Amino acid sequence: MSGEFSKRITDDFAISFGTTYTFLGPIDATVPGANGFQNLETTFKYRVFKDPAHEFVMSAGLSVEWGGTGAQSVGADPFNTYTPTIYFGKGFGDLPDTLSWLRPGAITGQVGYAIPGRSFTTTFGIDPDSGLSTADTEFHPRVLNWGGTIQYSMPYLKSAVVDLGLPDFINHLVPLVEATLQTPVANTLTSGTMTTGTINPGVIWVGNKFQIAAEALIPINRQSGTNVGFIAQLHLYLDDVDPRGIGKPIFGGPVQPASPFMRN
C-alpha cells in the first residue's frame, strides 16, 4: 500500500513525499512473514520546458530514498539511493484534420538512473558445518529505471475533437498501457544485467477533483514474476479541491486545474 503527497512550491517546482507499507506472507514454517514501511522517498521536480501549442512538456527531477527510515525485515535498504530522472509528455492535439481521431492520444515517459549510496554490503557469519567464519558480499547495482505510457483520452475526444453522444461514464475514461522497467547497468557482479518489469494495461476514470485508475501487472519475463497482478489508485487533484488553499503554490497564484473537465 503506497501513498504520496505532492506540493507545488512555485508553478514550475514541486516536492513530493511518499512511502509504501509492505505485507509479506510466510514462505513456509521456517520463514515467517513480515510487515513494515519501506524507506521514505522525497522527489524534487522542476518543469524545464513546456510548449502548449504542441502539447509537450518536460521536467527534471531528483528522487532520494532515505536509507534506514524503513524496516529491513521487508527489504528496506540501510543506505540512501539517489535517482535523477527526466520526465516528458506529448499530446497529439497538433495533428492535422486528416488525423483528428488520433488527437486524443498521448505518450508519456521517464528515464531515471538510480545510484545507491553504498556500492556493496558484506555480511559476516559462521558456517554451521565447519564452524569457520564466512563473508558474503552483495553488490548494489546502479539501475536504469525507464518506462512510459500510451493513452487515449475520451474527455479530450469529446471536448476538442467530436462529441459522439456516448454515455457520460465512457466520456470520463482514459484507456492506457503503461510499461515500468528496470535494467541494472553498473556494479552488476551479483545482480546481473537482465531487464525486469511489467506491462500494465488499464483504464483511468477522470472526475472533476479526483481520478481512479486500475491496471493489470503483466511480468515481461520469469525474473519479473510468474503471475499477473493488479494495482488500483485514487488520485486527488489538490489544485482543484482547494485551489486557493492547500492546492495553491507557496509562491504564486492558483494554477491551471488538473481536471480536463474544469479546463474546458
Side-chain angles (χ1 to χ4, degrees):
M1 298 180 61
S2 301
E4 183 180 38
F5 172 78
S6 181
K7 175 63 180 174
R8 294 198 198 204
I9 308 304
T10 70
D11 190 22
D12 295 319
F13 178 64
I15 300 177
S16 64
F17 305 90
T19 190
T20 298
Y21 193 85
T22 299
F23 303 86
L24 295 178
I27 297 177
D28 52 40
T30 62
V31 182
N35 301 332
F37 282 99
Q38 299 290 340
N39 288 330
L40 175 69
E41 293 189 33
T42 305
T43 299
F44 308 88
K45 185 185 290 187
Y46 184 78
R47 184 174 60 195
V48 297
F49 180 77
K50 66 176 180 178
D51 184 351
H54 295 286
E55 298 184 356
F56 179 80
V57 64
M58 178 176 289
S59 298
L62 173 66
S63 296
V64 182
E65 178 186 325
W66 302 101
T69 57
Q72 293 192 38
S73 61
V74 293
D77 291 323
F79 50 85
N80 292 356
T81 298
Y82 308 91
T83 308
T85 304
I86 296 294
Y87 310 84
F88 72 89
K90 175 67 175 77
F92 298 153
D94 56 347
L95 291 176
D97 291 342
T98 54
L99 298 174
S100 61
W101 289 97
L102 292 178
R103 288 176 180 170
I107 59 173
T108 69
Q110 64 184 67
V111 179
Y113 188 63
I115 306 170
R118 182 185 299 173
S119 297
F120 62 88
T121 297
T122 300
T123 304
F124 297 95
I126 301 295
D127 188 308
D129 296 324
S130 65
L132 299 176
S133 298
T134 61
D136 294 321
T137 299
E138 177 187 6
F139 291 88
H140 307 301
R142 296 188 174 192
V143 178
L144 189 69
N145 296 322
W146 55 289
T149 72
I150 300 175
Q151 48 191 276
Y152 193 87
S153 172
M154 299 304 293
Y156 191 106
L157 176 67
K158 178 182 178 180
S159 65
V161 181
V162 61
D163 185 354
L164 298 176
L166 299 173
D168 188 59
F169 178 82
I170 301 297
N171 288 328
H172 284 252
L173 296 179
V174 180
L176 77 161
V177 178
E178 181 178 12
T180 304
L181 306 167
Q182 305 84 38
T183 305
V185 293
N187 202 32
T188 58
L189 186 61
T190 57
S191 68
T193 58
M194 180 172 291
T195 297
T196 57
T198 58
I199 302 297
N200 313 331
V203 65
I204 302 171
W205 188 92
V206 181
N208 286 330
K209 298 183 179 181
F210 69 94
Q211 69 180 34
I212 300 174
E215 296 178 1
L217 303 176
I218 304 174
I220 63 168
N221 51 30
R222 183 171 295 275
Q223 288 71 23
S224 303
T226 56
N227 297 293
V228 175
F230 175 82
I231 187 171
Q233 180 195 61
L234 171 64
H235 184 168
L236 301 176
Y237 305 134
L238 298 183
D239 293 350
D240 299 336
V241 171
D242 187 10
R244 299 188 178 276
I246 193 172
K248 179 182 176 182
I250 294 177
F251 303 102
V255 298
Q256 184 182 23
S259 167
F261 300 101
M262 298 188 72
R263 288 198 297 266
N264 296 308

